[in-house]
mmCIF file of all heavy atoms in Angstrom:
data_model
loop_
_atom_site.group_PDB
_atom_site.id
_atom_site.type_symbol
_atom_site.label_atom_id
_atom_site.label_comp_id
_atom_site.label_asym_id
_atom_site.label_seq_id
_atom_site.Cartn_x
_atom_site.Cartn_y
_atom_site.Cartn_z
ATOM 1 N N THR M 53 4.607 -26.527 5.714
ATOM 2 C CA THR M 53 5.701 -26.754 4.772
ATOM 3 C C THR M 53 6.457 -25.456 4.411
ATOM 4 O O THR M 53 7.462 -25.529 3.703
ATOM 5 C CB THR M 53 5.135 -27.365 3.477
ATOM 6 O OG1 THR M 53 4.261 -26.431 2.828
ATOM 7 C CG2 THR M 53 4.421 -28.676 3.761
ATOM 8 N N ALA M 55 8.146 -21.587 5.835
ATOM 9 C CA ALA M 55 8.619 -20.829 6.985
ATOM 10 C C ALA M 55 7.790 -19.526 7.105
ATOM 11 O O ALA M 55 7.616 -19.019 8.219
ATOM 12 C CB ALA M 55 10.085 -20.458 6.818
ATOM 13 N N GLU M 56 7.278 -19.025 5.989
ATOM 14 C CA GLU M 56 6.517 -17.772 6.005
ATOM 15 C C GLU M 56 5.081 -18.011 5.598
ATOM 16 O O GLU M 56 4.776 -19.013 4.910
ATOM 17 C CB GLU M 56 7.198 -16.755 5.102
ATOM 18 C CG GLU M 56 8.603 -16.397 5.537
ATOM 19 C CD GLU M 56 9.269 -15.361 4.615
ATOM 20 O OE1 GLU M 56 8.669 -15.016 3.573
ATOM 21 O OE2 GLU M 56 10.367 -14.875 5.000
ATOM 22 N N LEU M 72 -12.031 -17.434 -5.813
ATOM 23 C CA LEU M 72 -11.892 -17.436 -4.368
ATOM 24 C C LEU M 72 -12.705 -18.467 -3.639
ATOM 25 O O LEU M 72 -12.188 -19.106 -2.703
ATOM 26 C CB LEU M 72 -12.181 -16.049 -3.812
ATOM 27 C CG LEU M 72 -12.053 -15.877 -2.295
ATOM 28 C CD1 LEU M 72 -10.629 -16.212 -1.823
ATOM 29 C CD2 LEU M 72 -12.478 -14.506 -1.850
ATOM 30 N N THR M 106 3.041 -8.000 5.227
ATOM 31 C CA THR M 106 3.785 -9.132 5.796
ATOM 32 C C THR M 106 5.240 -8.802 5.961
ATOM 33 O O THR M 106 5.820 -7.985 5.198
ATOM 34 C CB THR M 106 3.616 -10.379 4.934
ATOM 35 O OG1 THR M 106 4.238 -11.506 5.582
ATOM 36 C CG2 THR M 106 4.266 -10.209 3.554
ATOM 37 N N LEU M 112 -0.285 -8.449 9.022
ATOM 38 C CA LEU M 112 -0.903 -7.323 9.670
ATOM 39 C C LEU M 112 -1.956 -6.645 8.792
ATOM 40 O O LEU M 112 -1.697 -6.441 7.602
ATOM 41 C CB LEU M 112 0.156 -6.295 10.107
ATOM 42 C CG LEU M 112 -0.377 -5.132 10.955
ATOM 43 C CD1 LEU M 112 0.694 -4.682 11.972
ATOM 44 C CD2 LEU M 112 -0.737 -3.908 10.089
ATOM 45 N N LEU M 126 8.528 6.703 11.780
ATOM 46 C CA LEU M 126 8.763 5.473 12.534
ATOM 47 C C LEU M 126 9.354 4.355 11.689
ATOM 48 O O LEU M 126 9.709 3.311 12.218
ATOM 49 C CB LEU M 126 7.421 5.011 13.164
ATOM 50 C CG LEU M 126 6.720 5.972 14.107
ATOM 51 C CD1 LEU M 126 5.414 5.351 14.619
ATOM 52 C CD2 LEU M 126 7.658 6.339 15.261
ATOM 53 N N SER M 132 3.909 0.209 0.287
ATOM 54 C CA SER M 132 3.100 1.072 -0.508
ATOM 55 C C SER M 132 3.102 2.475 0.088
ATOM 56 O O SER M 132 3.524 2.666 1.254
ATOM 57 C CB SER M 132 1.641 0.546 -0.567
ATOM 58 O OG SER M 132 0.710 1.519 -1.023
ATOM 59 N N VAL M 145 9.274 -2.789 12.031
ATOM 60 C CA VAL M 145 10.565 -2.305 12.506
ATOM 61 C C VAL M 145 10.764 -2.697 13.987
ATOM 62 O O VAL M 145 11.860 -3.152 14.385
ATOM 63 C CB VAL M 145 10.713 -0.781 12.304
ATOM 64 C CG1 VAL M 145 11.838 -0.218 13.140
ATOM 65 C CG2 VAL M 145 10.898 -0.461 10.833
ATOM 66 N N HIS M 151 10.938 -6.190 19.960
ATOM 67 C CA HIS M 151 9.789 -5.807 20.782
ATOM 68 C C HIS M 151 8.682 -6.906 20.655
ATOM 69 O O HIS M 151 8.391 -7.345 19.522
ATOM 70 C CB HIS M 151 9.214 -4.498 20.322
ATOM 71 C CG HIS M 151 10.135 -3.323 20.489
ATOM 72 N ND1 HIS M 151 9.740 -2.121 20.937
ATOM 73 C CD2 HIS M 151 11.487 -3.251 20.250
ATOM 74 C CE1 HIS M 151 10.780 -1.273 20.950
ATOM 75 N NE2 HIS M 151 11.840 -1.946 20.546
ATOM 76 N N ASP M 168 -1.880 12.397 15.412
ATOM 77 C CA ASP M 168 -3.124 12.566 14.649
ATOM 78 C C ASP M 168 -4.288 12.160 15.520
ATOM 79 O O ASP M 168 -4.708 10.999 15.495
ATOM 80 C CB ASP M 168 -3.078 11.708 13.383
ATOM 81 C CG ASP M 168 -4.333 11.850 12.539
ATOM 82 O OD1 ASP M 168 -5.216 12.669 12.860
ATOM 83 O OD2 ASP M 168 -4.453 11.100 11.522
ATOM 84 N N ASN M 174 -7.372 0.584 14.341
ATOM 85 C CA ASN M 174 -7.609 -0.811 14.658
ATOM 86 C C ASN M 174 -6.637 -1.659 13.849
ATOM 87 O O ASN M 174 -6.779 -1.795 12.650
ATOM 88 C CB ASN M 174 -9.061 -1.189 14.327
ATOM 89 C CG ASN M 174 -10.036 -0.788 15.436
ATOM 90 O OD1 ASN M 174 -9.849 0.256 16.073
ATOM 91 N ND2 ASN M 174 -11.042 -1.585 15.599
ATOM 92 N N CYS M 178 -0.816 -11.267 13.349
ATOM 93 C CA CYS M 178 -0.603 -12.627 13.810
ATOM 94 C C CYS M 178 0.715 -13.146 13.307
ATOM 95 O O CYS M 178 1.317 -12.569 12.352
ATOM 96 C CB CYS M 178 -1.753 -13.536 13.404
ATOM 97 S SG CYS M 178 -1.979 -13.656 11.620
ATOM 98 N N GLY M 180 1.145 -16.894 13.339
ATOM 99 C CA GLY M 180 0.932 -18.314 13.214
ATOM 100 C C GLY M 180 0.696 -19.016 14.529
ATOM 101 O O GLY M 180 0.123 -20.097 14.586
ATOM 102 N N THR M 191 -14.888 -0.730 15.817
ATOM 103 C CA THR M 191 -15.337 -1.882 16.601
ATOM 104 C C THR M 191 -14.393 -3.097 16.452
ATOM 105 O O THR M 191 -13.747 -3.273 15.410
ATOM 106 C CB THR M 191 -16.742 -2.298 16.169
ATOM 107 O OG1 THR M 191 -16.734 -2.648 14.745
ATOM 108 C CG2 THR M 191 -17.740 -1.165 16.387
ATOM 109 N N GLU M 205 -16.583 -7.117 13.346
ATOM 110 C CA GLU M 205 -17.939 -7.246 13.799
ATOM 111 C C GLU M 205 -18.300 -8.717 13.785
ATOM 112 O O GLU M 205 -17.670 -9.533 13.056
ATOM 113 C CB GLU M 205 -18.896 -6.445 12.960
ATOM 114 C CG GLU M 205 -18.860 -6.700 11.488
ATOM 115 C CD GLU M 205 -19.716 -5.706 10.705
ATOM 116 O OE1 GLU M 205 -19.316 -4.541 10.576
ATOM 117 O OE2 GLU M 205 -20.811 -6.144 10.214
ATOM 118 N N VAL M 222 -5.767 -6.460 22.536
ATOM 119 C CA VAL M 222 -6.107 -7.858 22.675
ATOM 120 C C VAL M 222 -4.900 -8.705 22.365
ATOM 121 O O VAL M 222 -4.252 -8.542 21.315
ATOM 122 C CB VAL M 222 -7.256 -8.221 21.748
ATOM 123 C CG1 VAL M 222 -7.565 -9.716 21.863
ATOM 124 C CG2 VAL M 222 -8.494 -7.397 22.033
#
Side-chain angles (χ1 to χ4, degrees):
T53 64
E56 298 181 352
L72 179 61
T106 187
L112 186 145
L126 300 180
S132 166
V145 164
H151 297 220
D168 179 5
N174 278 35
C178 60
T191 59
E205 55 188 73
V222 177

